[in-house]
Amino acid sequence: AVVSTQSTGIQMSNLQNQARLKLLKQREDHLQVVVDKTTNKLKGQVVDINKYRDMLQGLITQGLCQLLEPHVTIQCRQMDIQLVEGVIDAAVKKYTELSDLEVTVNVDQKTFLASDITGGVRLVAKDGRMVVVNTLEARLEQIIKQKIPEVRTMLYGNNPNRRFFD
């Protein structure tokens, strides 16, 4: 009788574990759908040329503020060269206002970002030793890492088993 009670307990435990893992997998799949929809929405922003131009200017200014270097080279998709060149002056002006530092910015005419990325820029200083990747994919990845816990809580409520909230 003890052996059958033990095996029944083990079977119940295994079934509960399988159900829990199945639920976790469904939650992760649903979260991935949310991330995919967000990525597609971001790609839609690039279609609106005015929004994308403003976004590029902000990404360049932010990258310059991260580097704080006097000479910076910007790499972009080949199709974005004219847009980037069109916003550099405004980005440099904003950077100078924020930092009180002067900067010389060049657009790399030989090395381009992959054409299949959504957009954005990569800023390079000190012969490639300092790099800020400000592509839209990289930014989205950063935001996802930061916001996933909040999104999980919004979708599924608080996790009663969570002990640390750092």
Side-chain angles (χ1 to χ4, degrees), residues 130-149:
M130 293 179 72
V131 177
V132 172
V133 179
N134 252 353
T135 61
L136 300 182
E137 281 84 356
R139 296 303 301 273
L140 183 61
E141 195 174 304
Q142 281 179 331
I143 291 168
I144 288 169
K145 283 180 183 175
Q146 290 173 351
K147 296 292 183 183
I148 281 290

Side-chain angles (χ1 to χ4, degrees), residues 30-48:
H30 183 69
L31 210 51
Q32 189 58 48
V33 167
V34 171
V35 168
D36 291 343
K37 284 183 179 179
T38 305
T39 303
N40 290 335
K41 190 172 182 179
L42 182 65
K43 288 179 181 177
Q45 297 291 315
V46 176
V47 174
D48 183 339

Side-chain angles (χ1 to χ4, degrees), residues 60 76 80-90 107-109:
I60 293 169
C76 61
D80 291 341
I81 286 180
Q82 288 181 327
L83 280 174
V84 169
E85 288 174 341
V87 299
I88 284 179
D89 290 340
V107 177
D108 194 331
Q109 301 288 336

Side-chain angles (χ1 to χ4, degrees), residues 18-32 156:
Q18 288 173 359
R20 184 179 58 81
L21 290 173
K22 188 175 178 182
L23 178 65
L24 287 173
K25 172 86 172 99
Q26 287 175 340
R27 284 183 173 185
E28 281 303 312
D29 291 346
H30 183 69
L31 210 51
Q32 189 58 48
Y156 311 118

Side-chain angles (χ1 to χ4, degrees), residues 57-58 60-62 64-65 86-105:
Q57 181 180 331
I60 293 169
T61 303
Q62 189 177 51
L64 292 172
C65 289
V87 299
I88 284 179
D89 290 340
V92 167
K93 182 179 178 201
K94 180 77 172 169
Y95 166 76
T96 303
E97 288 173 13
L98 293 169
S99 67
D100 289 329
L101 298 171
E102 295 295 320
V103 64
T104 304
V105 177

